[in-house]
Amino acid sequence: MQNICEGWVLAREQELEPNTVYGYRWLFGLLYPYVGGVRASRLSARMVERAYRELEKCGYSRSTLRTLNMVLAKAFLEQTGRNLGVRKPRESDDERPVWSLAEARRFGDYVAEDRLYPMWRLMLVSGLRRGELCGLRRGDLEPVQGTLTVRRQLVVEDPGSRVRVKPPKSHNGVRTLVLDPLTVELLTAVAAGPAARYMFTGRTGRPMRPDNLTNRFHQLAVAATVRPIGPHQIRHLIASSLLDAGYGVHEVAERLGHDPATLMRYYTRVNATRRLQATDCIAELMTLPDARSGTPRNRADDMPQLLVHEVRKTCEVARRPRPGKHVSRSNRSPIR
């Protein structure tokens, strides 16, 4: 079985990115201690499923095991012409941790004096991936139009930790973002500073490495007394916040550089206030007027004043008709 997996990777080494080759070999390496020496003709679905259970006991996530199963099934089918028929590990029950808006504001306020504040500000308002942030060049900014174009990303390759310039993650990743005036002002000042090809650099003047960005983010998050759960979760926060505010799925997906279907599956969540609103709304629709009693649980006098203001503002945006475009109710409120 090990020879089959290694042969499959070797045959595709020229067409795959180095990081992908490294990832495939790492995934297959997880299985080798359990079924690596088994002949292909004797390998069964039960053997592989037993290996998955053992790997989960060792601490590997179900997401990792599902990716391993997908790659293994493809490799085995193409190399032997036989379908193993292994049942996919079920999806993880754990919900990805995401900051609240209060945590994002606290972080933004804390890093206002940091040398890289323009980068942190841009990350909070745009949801750019860390590689896209590191790959920005001065020519990507158009101060007059107030736009920023994402054309490339920097990627750390394993092994060796070498940094390469690559196109964005998908064709949706190449996009032009409209920025708010404060962010444009901050980035314009950066672009007018000491000559450097890239917009954000380390203290040595070299482009900011994505892994160094993550490390610095965690340090600042701890100092700001917010959870150090990685910069990528900000994309999830932005997606849910914009959808809750009434923006359509395609509008949010375009800003984040993602496919709309992927956005709805992995990047959205419903906040507590919207969940209560949905509950009270459907209960009111399904109840006769004479039988209605009680007060909605999300009435204004039960919520902090700041939250009341945010909910009212969200509702006003959601009710406002958009010129020339009809947005369905399902696009406004992604309720699972």
Side-chain angles (χ1 to χ4, degrees), residues 72-280:
L72 176 65
K74 183 175 178 64
F76 200 80
L77 179 62
E78 291 185 2
Q79 292 292 95
T80 67
R82 183 162 69 93
N83 193 335
L84 270 175
V86 179
R87 289 177 295 182
K88 289 191 298 185
R90 62 190 181 93
E91 294 189 30
S92 175
D93 299 325
D94 299 329
E95 191 174 78
R96 181 187 293 271
V98 175
W99 276 355
S100 64
L101 285 172
E103 287 178 296
R105 291 169 184 147
R106 191 183 313 151
F107 178 83
D109 181 66
Y110 181 83
V111 300
E113 301 300 324
D114 188 74
R115 180 181 70 87
L116 293 172
Y117 174 61
M119 183 181 73
W120 304 126
R121 168 73 184 183
L122 178 61
M123 181 178 66
L124 289 173
V125 301
S126 68
L128 290 181
R129 302 175 178 91
R130 64 174 194 172
E132 294 171 344
L133 279 168
C134 296
L136 288 174
R137 295 176 182 170
R138 295 170 183 266
D140 297 331
L141 177 67
E142 292 291 345
V144 178
Q145 288 83 8
T147 61
L148 181 72
T149 302
V150 180
R151 296 186 174 96
R152 71 197 68 80
Q153 64 173 335
L154 298 188
V155 177
V156 179
E157 287 189 343
D158 291 316
S161 296
R162 188 166 61 97
V163 176
R164 282 187 62 204
V165 180
K166 294 176 55 179
K169 190 173 181 180
S170 69
H171 68 277
N172 294 307
V174 179
R175 60 202 186 276
T176 298
L177 302 175
V178 179
L179 303 177
D180 62 281
L182 174 58
T183 305
V184 172
E185 181 182 348
L186 291 169
L187 296 181
T188 302
V190 172
R197 189 179 187 188
Y198 286 86
M199 190 169 293
F200 305 118
T201 62
R203 296 190 181 277
T204 61
R206 304 187 66 179
M208 175 68 65
R209 288 173 57 99
D211 48 359
N212 289 346
L213 184 152
T214 299
N215 293 338
R216 182 59 178 161
F217 177 87
H218 286 157
Q219 292 171 0
L220 291 171
V222 171
T225 65
V226 296
R227 293 173 293 168
I229 52 180
H232 194 78
Q233 52 85 21
I234 292 176
R235 292 170 59 79
H236 296 255
L237 173 62
I238 290 176
S240 294
S241 299
L242 289 177
L243 288 166
D244 281 345
Y247 290 93
V249 176
H250 288 80
E251 294 169 307
V252 180
E254 180 187 44
R255 186 164 189 84
L256 295 178
H258 237 309
D259 177 76
T262 303
L263 175 81
M264 293 302 297
R265 182 173 182 182
Y266 296 108
Y267 278 75
T268 60
R269 60 191 62 217
V270 182
N271 64 35
T273 302
R274 299 283 283 187
R275 188 178 290 114
L276 289 175
Q277 289 174 343
T279 300
D280 292 335

Side-chain angles (χ1 to χ4, degrees), residues 271-284 287 293-304 307-308 311:
N271 64 35
T273 302
R274 299 283 283 187
R275 188 178 290 114
L276 289 175
Q277 289 174 343
T279 300
D280 292 335
C281 179
I282 193 63
E284 185 177 355
T287 306
S293 62
T295 306
R297 289 168 293 176
N298 56 327
R299 67 183 193 274
D301 55 358
D302 282 342
M303 294 184 285
L307 184 57
V308 171
V311 171

